[in-house]
């Protein structure tokens, strides 16, 4: 018998499931209370043994168990989580003055093939279940003993490639019966799957959408991001403009700076021009990210002076520019690095 993924259920779904086991409805609320604390069936202390046995026979809890943990000198914590089928994903806990942020993965590996990213090495194995995304948040809070106030979907995988499961995760994580996290404290990053950006706009979640842009012209972007062959910059930025009109939610643009590739003064001017052309009605913000040193990729980060000059050009064009603070550089904290090393050594 195929077992049911019980942690991916909403409370109404769980209530129906409990009734199929010939148990009273109120048990669903008890079970869910234990699930969001990270408990397995044996840890649900106030349930009768007969119910535990029924749950064990009919369902499973897709927990994320710590395989490896690295702690940076700056307080950042990198987790390699082992999933129920033996696959691994990464999460990163980042501590800021305004609260704790966890960056979670949405897929095991990534199919998008971005040239600078460690997550795509080896391609994609499978999509994560809603429960497995939820478990990364639960397990991080449980291990750290600290509340996570912000969730960033920028780890391994492309969230909009796993659309249905990500939407279910968002419903679960924001539900008052679930983790009850505020949607305005959740960010989702995409490389630019245009049809799903339009679909996300219709969902009504007041989350922050981040677009991995990384280039201002199609030739450069295609060389870095194969997704640009399917949806070019014009199509992507038009979708961004439409998303803002529909939702009223500001979009953040991520721009990874690669020395000699996309970091010149003319690149900055082109970026300002193309953003103002297609997204002129929204407040514009670009998050600049010097590329990470990924051994298999060989790209060189832009030097700080050039980063500052790039940012200055954007600011002169009335575009807010920030430089991402480098956290966890001593613990393989950029997404995919720890998993890639572990897989290589296993």
């Amino acid at each position: 018998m195929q077992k049911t993924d019980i942690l991916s259920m909403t409370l109404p779904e769980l209530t129906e499931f409990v009734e199929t086991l010939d148990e009273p409805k109120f048990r669903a609320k008890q079970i869910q209370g234990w699930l969001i604390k990270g408990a397995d069936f044996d840890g649900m202390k106030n349930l009768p043994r007969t119910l535990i046995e029924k749950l064990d026979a009919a369902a499973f809890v897709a927990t994320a168990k710590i395989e490896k943990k690295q702690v940076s000198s700056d307080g950042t914590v990198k987790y390699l989580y082992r999933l129920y089928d033996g696959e691994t994903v990464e999460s990163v806990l980042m501590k800021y003055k305004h609260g704790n942020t966890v960056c979670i993965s949405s897929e095991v590996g990534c199919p998008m093939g971005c040239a600078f990213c460690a997550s795509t090495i080896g391609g994609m194995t499978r999509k994560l279940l809603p429960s497995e995304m939820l478990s990364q948040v639960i397990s991080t809070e449980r291990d750290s003993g600290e509340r996570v106030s912000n969730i960033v979907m920028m780890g391994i995988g492309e969230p909009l490639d796993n659309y249905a499961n990500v939407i279910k995760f968002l419903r679960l994580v924001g539900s008052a019966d679930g983790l009850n996290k505020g949607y305005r404290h959740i960010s989702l990053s995409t490389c630019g799957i245009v049809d799903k950006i339009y679909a996300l706009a219709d969902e009504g979640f007041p989350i922050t959408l981040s677009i991995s842009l990384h280039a201002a012209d199609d030739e450069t972007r295609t060389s870095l991001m194969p997704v640009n062959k399917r949806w070019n910059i014009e199509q992507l930025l038009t979708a961004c403009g439409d998303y803002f009109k529909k939702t009223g939610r500001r979009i953040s643009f991520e721009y990874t700076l690669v020395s000699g590739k996309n970091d010149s003064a003319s690149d900055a001017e082109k970026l300002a021009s193309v953003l103002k052309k297609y997204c002129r009605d929204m407040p514009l913000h670009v998050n600049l990210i010097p590329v990470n040193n990924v051994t298999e990729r060989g790209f060189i980060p832009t030097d700080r002076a050039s980063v500052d000059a790039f940012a200055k050009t954007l600011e002169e064009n009335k575009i807010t520019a920030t430089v991402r603070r480098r956290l966890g550089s001593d613990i393989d904290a950029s997404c995919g690095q720890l998993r890639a090393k572990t897989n290589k050594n296993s």
Side-chain angles (χ1 to χ4, degrees), residues 15 18-19 21-31 51:
T15 301
V18 165
E19 289 185 291
L21 301 178
D22 297 320
E23 295 287 340
K25 291 182 179 181
F26 76 87
R27 294 296 186 193
K29 186 70 173 177
Q30 291 178 313
I31 293 167
L51 175 53

Side-chain angles (χ1 to χ4, degrees), residues 21-319:
L21 301 178
D22 297 320
E23 295 287 340
K25 291 182 179 181
F26 76 87
R27 294 296 186 193
K29 186 70 173 177
Q30 291 178 313
I31 293 167
Q32 188 175 62
W34 284 112
L35 290 172
I36 63 177
K37 292 178 182 177
D40 57 19
F41 295 138
D42 287 332
M44 299 178 183
K45 302 301 183 184
N46 61 342
L47 300 185
R49 191 66 213 171
T50 52
L51 175 53
I52 296 294
E53 290 172 354
K54 289 179 183 179
L55 291 172
D56 196 42
F60 71 99
V61 182
T63 54
K65 297 182 178 179
I66 299 173
E67 178 78 7
K68 290 185 179 180
K69 175 182 174 181
Q70 297 178 332
V71 181
S72 171
S73 58
D74 61 27
T76 301
V77 184
K78 179 68 169 277
Y79 293 98
L80 182 70
Y81 282 121
R82 182 74 63 180
L83 306 177
Y84 76 95
D85 62 353
E87 296 293 343
T88 56
V89 292
E90 297 175 5
S91 301
V92 180
L93 175 64
M94 296 164 284
K95 300 180 181 182
Y96 300 97
K97 291 180 180 179
H98 61 268
N100 297 321
T101 296
V102 64
C103 179
I104 68 168
S105 297
S106 58
E107 296 179 313
V108 180
C110 184
M112 306 315 295
C114 296
F116 49 81
C117 183
S119 295
T120 66
I121 297 172
M124 189 187 76
T125 302
R126 67 171 177 85
K127 304 174 191 292
L128 292 188
L129 301 167
S131 54
E132 292 172 316
M133 289 177 263
L134 204 64
S135 285
Q136 292 173 66
V137 181
I138 293 169
S139 297
T140 299
E141 285 192 324
R142 190 177 185 184
D143 179 73
S144 67
E146 299 186 41
R147 185 180 183 276
V148 166
S149 52
N150 303 288
I151 299 171
V152 180
M153 304 192 75
M154 294 184 184
I156 296 172
E158 162 56 57
L160 296 188
D161 180 59
N162 190 12
Y163 187 83
N165 285 341
V166 165
I167 295 302
K168 185 68 175 292
F169 161 76
L170 289 173
R171 298 196 192 286
L172 290 167
V173 80
S175 168
D177 297 316
L179 292 191
N180 199 25
K181 304 291 185 184
Y183 286 120
R184 295 182 185 276
H185 298 283
I186 298 175
S187 297
L188 183 152
S189 177
T190 177
C191 67
I193 301 181
V194 166
D195 58 335
K196 294 300 190 295
I197 292 174
Y198 282 107
L200 183 64
D202 291 332
E203 299 285 353
F205 294 115
I207 62 174
T208 297
L209 181 63
S210 293
I211 301 295
S212 295
L213 192 57
H214 306 315
D217 64 86
D218 284 324
E219 182 180 359
T220 303
R221 191 167 193 264
T222 298
S223 71
L224 292 171
M225 307 178 73
V227 69
N228 201 68
K229 297 175 184 177
R230 175 65 181 86
W231 291 287
N232 64 22
I233 290 176
E234 179 181 1
Q235 292 169 306
L236 173 57
L237 294 183
T238 298
C240 290
D242 292 342
Y243 182 93
F244 177 74
K245 291 174 186 175
K246 176 85 173 183
T247 66
R249 298 291 293 163
R250 179 179 64 85
I251 293 173
S252 177
F253 293 94
E254 309 288 320
Y255 194 99
T256 294
L257 290 161
V258 183
S259 181
K261 185 75 173 177
N262 64 351
D263 63 342
S264 68
S266 63
D267 287 319
E269 291 288 356
K270 281 192 294 183
L271 178 60
S273 176
V274 76
L275 286 177
K276 288 194 287 188
K277 178 179 180 180
Y278 294 106
C279 305
R280 60 182 176 273
D281 294 329
M282 74 170 77
L284 293 172
H285 171 254
V286 177
N287 191 19
L288 299 173
I289 313 160
V291 71
N292 285 296
N293 289 306
V294 178
T295 302
E296 294 86 348
R297 298 310 191 191
F299 289 130
I300 300 171
T302 299
D303 63 83
R304 185 64 201 216
S306 297
V307 172
D308 291 341
F310 200 101
K312 183 179 179 182
T313 298
L314 294 179
E315 294 282 358
E316 288 171 348
N317 281 276
K318 305 296 190 293
I319 296 174

